[in-house]
Amino acid sequence: MPRHAEAPAPAEAPSAAEAPSAAEAQGPRSKSKSVSPRQIPVIGVVTEDEDAQGALKPMDLQSIIKVLEETAHDYLEEQLKSVKTLVQYYQNGFPLRDLAQIFKILNMCAEKIEKQPAFLEPTYNIIKLFGLPFLKKKVSDEITYAEDTAKSIALLGNLMKIPSSELRIQICRCIIDFYHAEPPKKHIAGYQQASPTYKIQMAEVGGLAKTMVHSLDLLENQLVEKLWVLKALQHLSTSEVNCTLMMRAYAARGICAHLNDPDPSGQLLFRSSEILWNLLEKSSKEEIIKQLSNLECLVTLKEVFKHLFTRGFSDYDRQLRNDILVITTIISQNPEAPMIECGFTRDLILFATFNEVKSENPLVKGLKLSNSYEDFELKKLLFNILVILCKDLTTVQLLIDGKVVLALFTYVKKPEKHKIIEWSAAQYEELQLHALATLSTVAPLLIEEYMLCQGNARILAFLEWCESEECFFSHGNSFHGTGGRGNKFAHLRYSLRLLRAMIHLEDETVNQDLCEKGTIQQLIGIFKYTVNKINDKEEAILLEIQSDILLILSSLCENNISRKEIFGTEGVDIVLHVMKTDPKKFQSGLGYTVLLFSTLDSIWCCILACYSLEDYFLEKEGIFLLLDLLALDQKKFCNLILAIMVEFCDNPKTPVHVNTWRGKKDQTAASLLIKLWRKEEKELGVLRDKRGMIVDTKKPLFTSFQAEQKIMPMPANCPTIAVMDVAENIRAKIYAVLGKLDFENLPGLSTKDFVTLCIIHRYLDFKIGEIWNEIYEEIKLEKLKPVTTDRHVLQAILTASENVGQMVASLQSEMCDIQARQDVQDEQKVYAKIQATHKQREMANKSWVNFLARTSNAKTLKKAKKLQEKAIESTRYGERPANAIFHQTDIKGLNTTVLSGRVVAVESTPARLVGGPLADTDIALKKLPVRGGALQRVKAVKPADDPKNVPT
């Protein structure tokens, strides 16, 4: 909240009147004093050494109290002398331990003032000393004497009842000194100053603020004293505790009602507004608003504001004017505040629009705002209060009379070059954005005025400027300019908000006018423009702009085929563009989730029911993108996506696309839908066993919420719990989608999926049985007896419903059994495969053993050789043809230990030593080796040199 400069202090109170002489005060009884036998000592004895050291010895305060208790006039002089001695003795401050007695003395002196005015000066002097810091001898004194101190300080407020201007002013000065404590004039040995905030805390505990508020009632026509009290309250109101006390004393109402009282210094208004500010900030705001929401306070505020608006020329006056307007704005939030009755609303509307719309009202004749900071703030505050006043529909006629829409639309235009305006560029930009924001609230209430001002044309022209590449440097300093520095995105955002507010009225005149002006094509163009401008810095504001564009298009195209055709393939393309967004961004918190909701809404409103757009959407794999979003398993999107799927499945081309789609791990659409069904039932608490089978055949769809709710008789036009369940979860939509896929030939389903599919297939039958069961229970609760025929029919329906549940449960059990048998068969096949693998390994091991035997035993090798030759011979013809050529398959003189043919692969000799099998041929010159260059011919290795490398 703004604060204005400190006003000068109130004029000093006149000096206290001199006290009358003792003889005059005592009157005729003064003679009796000389014969009085009593001599009561009242002064403590202080030695010269102690006095030199500044020591403060205890004073016999009880003796002073006894002297003051004497009512005879003979003791007047002695009483005054004793109080004067007390003042001199404690001239450096009061010790906390003596405070209770000192205040008792003060109270006794105050009570004597009415009959003996001579006590006025001592009372004044004692109160003056209370402005000094209290003294403590021990650290614990502040806690020990806290209660006595609080009660003593509370007494100051009660002393305001004494009809003495000097005394009242001194009390206020004393309270103010609590917040501006001065150090003692002289240090007292053995004592130290209490903490600076101690007096303030004790004033809160003692309730001083409340008594000071009540003292204002005693000062109706005493301006000087009132100003001092207000100054004291201004200091006291810096505390939340004091503000609460002042609120309970109805300080807000009492102070506000006297804001306009005559005051040449201007301090009354300044201090009163400051107190009201503190009360609003530091106490119950609702209670303060309630206290100020009366005709008397609002009339006073109105007169003060009018005076400051029309005759205030200094910066101080303008700041004060703005403060009063903010207080008024806070009060106007209360719908019970009589703003219209007191005429304040009409004046505020006039002040908000006189600069843009010429008015003959003498109140603003010749009045003009400057570009000073205070006037600029005033303009924004007036725009703001218009928004609040609009909440009261009775204000509409005043808005019409004040031509508010026309005044605000003067800002909805592109900046004109070389034109002198009264505001700076930054100020004008902020007012422009503020006017657009205000129009978003005001214009929907004034449709006729909006159309008369050609609001649609103005907005579209402004949007065209926002989209253009015309050079414009935005300052982006204000709240409304967030995200729009150096560009026109802030203007674009608030223009679209205004357009959205008007379209959501569903007024056909407004919508038709927009469509005739080419709004749909223009908005699609703006969307494409923003897509190309997205970056990390302006991402949030651009996403909001895109969301608003899609919502506006949805509102325009809903239930209108011709507008959907205008939306066309370009519109479908921007929808598909959003659907291709990286799924991770939906959790980024930058508005992608809102954008996706707007996109899904635009599919529902702009594409569905227009066959050409549906076909184009399918052609561009839009169903695949929808299923990809559905597979993200985001509950907030599922309901809307499934609703769109249900409508799309009416298109005969859709089922093919749905069945073709594949997700992660080759998941099919049917499997995905069934998985969502199971998850939904788990969240709803539907009873299912481990295999997903029905547990309760009478209530197979019953949720935990339905089980907790008792069935109650309801009117026929009220939906029951079973009916509401259809709309409150996604099971009905999943049933509808799968139903349009015919529940048959669904690819990629497991046995568990088929078990769940049995329930989904019978969803409608189960739901009908559930509703009939509710009807039966309601009849029993209402103690109605159906006729015999109806009773038999009802019983037959319930029995049939239960039979369907049993049939489905039986089918599920059969499926599970078949799957169990299949699992056993699959397990046996796996075991057979394992056995075959082991047998193969055994045969390989046996072959290896035979190989080793042939290698290590020559007899075994010869035997194997004979068996091989015998086998080979048995395969030959018995008689050789006459012209046949015989090829010898054996190599004579072979000294190897393996059965070999003419080709032998020797693995024991490294290739790097012999150069490979082609090293001695010309081919080696044409083949590149691994390490570079052609293979080189190597010299033959002598067996004697390296017997290990000789092939065996």
Side-chain angles (χ1 to χ4, degrees), residues 260 294-304 341-342 344:
N260 205 29
N294 58 78
L295 201 60
E296 182 183 11
C297 290
L298 287 173
V299 168
T300 303
L301 285 170
K302 182 188 75 169
E303 296 301 325
V304 170
E341 292 82 348
C342 69
F344 207 173

Side-chain angles (χ1 to χ4, degrees), residues 10-18 120 124 164-170 173 223-225 228:
E12 292 293 334
S15 59
E18 294 183 0
L120 180 62
Y124 179 91
S164 168
S165 175
E166 295 87 349
L167 194 62
R168 288 170 174 171
I169 292 172
Q170 184 55 49
R173 282 178 173 167
L223 179 61
V224 176
E225 292 92 322
W228 276 103

